[in-house]
Amino acid sequence: MVATQETVERIAEATGRYKYGFITDIDSDKAPKGLNEDIVRFISAKKDEPDWLLEWRLKAYRHWLTMREPSWAKLGYPPIDYQDAYYYAAPKSPEDAPKSLDEVDPELLRTYEKLGIPLREQEMLAGVAVDAVFDSVSVATTYKKKLEDMGVIFCPISEAVQRYPELVQRYLGSVVPYSDNFFATLNSAVFTDGSFVYVPKGLRCPMELSTYFRINERNTGQFERTLIIADEGSYVSYLEGCTAPQRDENQLHAAVVELVTMDDAEIKYSTVQNWYPGDENGKGGIYNFVTKRGACRGRDSKIMWTQVETGSAITWKYPSCILQGDNSVGEFYSVAITNNAQQADTGTKMIHIGKNTRSRVISKGIAAGRADQTYRGLVRMMPKAEGARNYTQCDSLLIGDRCGAHTVPYIETRNPTAQVEHEATTSRISDDQLFYCLQRGIPQEDAVTLIVNGFCKEVLQTLPMEFAVEAQKLVGVSLEGSVG
Amino acid sequence: MALLEITDLHAALEDGGKPILKGVSLTIRPGEVHAVMGPNGAGKSTLSNVIAGRPGFVVTGGSVTYDGQDLLALDADARARAGVFLAFQYPVEIPGVATATFLKTAINARRKAAGEPEIEALEFLKRMKANAKALGVVEDMLKRPVNVGFSGGEKKRAEVLQMAMLEPRLCLLDETDSGLDIDALRVVADGVNALRGPDRGMLVITHYQRLLDYIVPDVVHVLVDGRIVKSGDKALALDLEAHGYAQFAGAAA
């Protein structure tokens, strides 16, 4: 997908200006630091995108210039210099990759081991350039072939732009418009890649779709864009991320995920987010500003978000559902763990538009060390949402006496027949619970893991089975050193 | 060799709290069941908690030797893995953690410390079902979170079930009879009696003689105001039932 010289020339003609010489060198691997219209054009040209997409990116960029970074979240971090970041880098060549696990950070390997990740997967995750990885390529290929035969489209969004432009054009930005918010707008201007899924009418996708299978094609970078469409009567379960810690040289991440369900369709979207949280003081950790939103367009449709958030220094994320279709259902299940100096401001938005729409929110927050976290959730009942219902339950668990948990519910109802319930609790792991476990011979750290996994059970059990097992281990690893 | 040897044990509440144990000595040999009786506030529960290593107490003097080693030098979890089991007076709830999962985790913690492989799922299930049946614990209870929503009797039965599964060498039973009606008491006592054996020692703490009709002790100690004021055989318990603790009030001063 390397852009041709013609494309560059065409863009040059169209825009009539190139301040930077770099743009003529279309093979360069990296755009220079900073953000301006040329960088946006460069990214678009690199991907050989159609004009409408370039225009859309530019609209977003110009709008972004008029916006200000939001400051309402309960997060503290130094100002981000958006001109001091790279917005495009080509995939690393195999020569740059570590040759074997011996060259990989031992700290990372220890964590892989604790999570019980097989050696071959460890190599894959650490980006080791070895032949062994090819096995997984062939697995991925077989898997893709099977999906294609069923009519499911599952490919990088950049590929979808080329192969299914009408689908992408129809839905891209239809749930999260380019002007939505500071970070989503930035993403719209400079997104590099991400996943595209289309499930045809009436098909119940029998396999979990996982980014894991795209790991070799992956250079989604810090501005990932995902679009999933479930057509009438279809069902799909999508897994994002992986329990293994992921490092990235880019500190700023601003992804956008859009989901669309038609009549009777259902999307189940599960995330395990374990980006590098930084050192004990949060230094070097990822800033994760994500916009995830699903639209239940059709009647009786359903969107279910499950997230396990353990990584990143800063998490700003509110997977939401717009319940347009009558009787549509939105669910949000979340476990957020913050340890050391991590900060998370996360929650959901449930916008009830259609009649008899229902939503359910179960949020479990665990704070340890000096970490701070906030549940922030909006439930809005619109005037036509006759008989709509919401149930929200937010539980926070504190470990130690230097962390904080906050719950900020926003409830707006403009229909007298709508019902909204909100329950919240804050608790600590009691000394009695800990001693009870110790007295049975369970070491302290294992005891904390056990108790916290019990606390999160309701959410973890909504994950697909294998993921759930990994997530349980992850809970333990994330809380290491939090007690004693 | 004695299984448990307590010598002149002094203990107080942490942070300069008041002294509770003021020189307790007793020796339990393998196979023996000792009962500690005494009025409220005498220090009975403190004694079992200090042996088990519960935080909140400080040992200010004396020693506790278990199977030849200094028990007080071990952390609470290491004591448990060495074979010390405390059946709690008030077992705590652990929401979301199934009783079976909890038990398996505890068994595997022991095995791991001993350098043994984890217990086979099938073997675990078989043992758990057999023990549960003997104690009248319904299987549904094993799937429920630890002690959550259990009745008083269910909690005590679950404690004895754990004891049976973990096969400790020293069992500390802290007021296991409290909150039990007579039928439940009998079931729990039967469970405890089934665990009596030549290698195992027990320290049964109780306020009432009643429990000792079912779990017949080899030795009875009377604990008043942090000291053992009298030791004897089973008859001592009956004597206490008849005459109360008041007769020892002077001795405690």
Side-chain angles (χ1 to χ4, degrees), chain A residues 272-425:
Chain A
V272 172
Q273 186 268 115
N274 192 16
W275 290 106
Y276 183 55
D279 64 13
E280 274 172 34
N281 297 310
K283 199 162 174 276
I286 302 282
Y287 292 0
N288 199 24
F289 299 97
V290 189
T291 304
K292 289 185 167 175
R293 195 176 301 153
C296 286
R297 296 253 160 93
R299 55 164 176 76
D300 297 293
S301 62
K302 180 175 176 182
I303 287 176
M304 176 174 164
W305 298 101
T306 299
Q307 61 172 25
V308 176
E309 299 283 317
T310 65
S312 299
I314 301 281
T315 300
W316 180 98
K317 184 179 173 189
Y318 315 90
S320 307
C321 298
I322 301 170
L323 304 169
Q324 290 167 277
D326 291 347
N327 312 316
S328 60
V329 177
E331 292 181 357
F332 173 75
Y333 297 93
S334 169
V335 168
I337 299 177
T338 48
N339 196 358
N340 296 318
Q342 283 179 279
Q343 303 173 62
D345 192 302
T346 183
T348 184
K349 286 190 265 184
M350 292 291 173
I351 314 291
H352 292 252
I353 298 171
K355 292 188 185 69
N356 298 315
T357 46
R358 280 161 293 149
S359 64
R360 181 178 167 83
V361 175
I362 307 286
S363 163
K364 305 277 182 178
I366 298 111
R370 288 170 290 127
D372 225 322
Q373 69 167 263
T374 304
Y375 167 82
R376 191 181 299 278
L378 168 71
V379 176
R380 179 180 287 155
M381 301 293 186
M382 301 297 275
K384 287 186 179 147
E386 289 288 325
R389 298 192 63 162
N390 158 266
Y391 173 75
T392 300
Q393 183 190 329
C394 290
D395 298 320
S396 308
L397 187 69
L398 302 174
I399 300 174
D401 55 8
R402 289 178 303 159
C403 53
H406 317 270
T407 300
V408 190
Y410 303 77
I411 297 170
E412 303 171 10
T413 167
R414 289 193 255 158
N415 185 307
T417 65
Q419 290 181 43
V420 180
E421 277 179 78
H422 180 94
E423 285 180 24
T425 66

Side-chain angles (χ1 to χ4, degrees), chain B residues 4 18 20 62 88 165 223:
Chain B
L4 183 75
K18 64 171 183 146
I20 300 175
F88 285 74
M165 291 295 287
L223 187 73

Side-chain angles (χ1 to χ4, degrees), chain A residues 430-433 435-444 446 450-451 453-455 457, chain B residues 53-54 77 80-81 84-86 88 92-93 95-97 102 106 109-110 147 159 162:
Chain A
S430 76
D431 291 344
D432 285 347
Q433 281 176 328
F435 178 62
Y436 192 78
C437 295
L438 292 173
Q439 214 300 306
R440 297 303 182 245
I442 302 169
Q444 181 135 299
D446 295 358
L450 191 72
I451 295 168
N453 268 313
F455 174 76
K457 190 177 182 189
Chain B
R54 186 178 204 126
D77 54 327
R81 291 193 297 271
V84 177
F85 183 95
L86 171 63
F88 285 74
V92 298
E93 299 184 357
V97 179
F102 180 75
R110 255 150 241 263
N147 294 318
E159 289 292 289
Q162 291 187 32

Side-chain angles (χ1 to χ4, degrees), chain B residues 4 6 21 24-26 28 33-39 42-48 51 172-175 177 202-209 211-212 217 219-224 227-231 236-237 240 245:
Chain B
L4 183 75
I6 301 175
L21 300 181
V24 173
S25 298
L26 66 86
I28 301 177
V33 173
H34 288 226
V36 173
M37 299 183 70
K44 301 189 299 291
S45 287
T46 300
L47 179 61
S48 60
I51 297 170
L172 310 167
L173 286 87
D174 190 5
E175 309 238 3
D177 51 336
M202 294 191 184
L203 184 67
V204 180
I205 285 165
T206 181
H207 190 74
Y208 300 105
Q209 197 281 13
L211 178 67
L212 305 181
V219 185
V220 176
H221 306 278
V222 182
L223 187 73
V224 178
R227 288 185 191 93
I228 289 177
V229 293
K230 193 164 184 183
S231 298
L236 177 57
L240 282 172
Y245 294 110

